[in-house]
Amino acid sequence: VQLAESGGASVQAGGSLTLSCVVTGEISGRAPMAWFRQAPGKEREAIASIDSSTRTRYADSVKGRFTTFKDSAENTLLLQMNSLRDEDTARYYCATDRGLRFGGTFDQKAYEYWGQGTQVTVAS
């Protein structure tokens, strides 16, 4: 199983970006997935998850601004980010796990497969 993120860029504060995470390999299209991010000097944090029933969960820091959803036909997880702020600057990672899971989790240990990340930089 491999994950590949793309879509990271430098953007002005208040702008928008959409990140993509393409999943390849033998894994269910209903596998649970999540987005994490890591800013310089900080620990990696979970920001959004989607479970096997496509129910989503968001960190307070991004709620109302970020939306995650699946394009099942393309085996892709997307993260639509609006109203970007300086503090959103980070490297963004997607992760997934085998099997089905109902109820999103932000526990990093719950995800076996990770991408290499894509950089998002927000400038004032």
Side-chain angles (χ1 to χ4, degrees):
V1 176
Q2 292 189 321
L3 291 79
E5 303 94 336
S6 63
S10 294
V11 64
Q12 292 287 321
S16 298
L17 274 178
T18 300
L19 304 184
S20 298
C21 172
V22 177
V23 183
T24 55
E26 293 194 14
I27 194 163
S28 170
R30 297 176 66 197
M33 299 191 72
W35 289 98
F36 294 79
R37 69 184 181 187
Q38 186 167 22
K42 294 189 176 181
E43 293 188 354
R44 189 163 57 187
E45 62 172 348
I47 57 170
S49 69
I50 185 166
D51 73 1
S52 297
S53 65
T54 70
R55 185 167 52 189
T56 54
R57 177 185 173 191
Y58 298 94
D60 288 344
S61 58
V62 306
K63 200 174 293 182
R65 299 187 299 122
F66 291 11
T67 303
T68 192
F69 55 99
K70 283 187 177 181
D71 179 346
S72 298
E74 300 293 331
N75 227 21
T76 299
L77 179 69
L78 297 129
L79 182 69
Q80 173 68 44
M81 306 187 294
N82 297 323
S83 302
L84 284 162
R85 305 167 180 168
D86 292 354
E87 55 263 38
D88 295 320
T89 294
R91 191 162 185 85
Y92 285 70
Y93 300 86
C94 61
T96 192
D97 198 31
R98 292 195 180 276
L100 303 182
R101 185 182 302 139
F102 299 95
T105 178
F106 282 176
D107 183 358
Q108 298 186 37
K109 298 187 185 68
Y111 298 95
E112 181 176 357
Y113 303 102
W114 293 75
Q116 293 299 308
T118 186
Q119 180 68 34
V120 173
T121 302
V122 183
S124 300

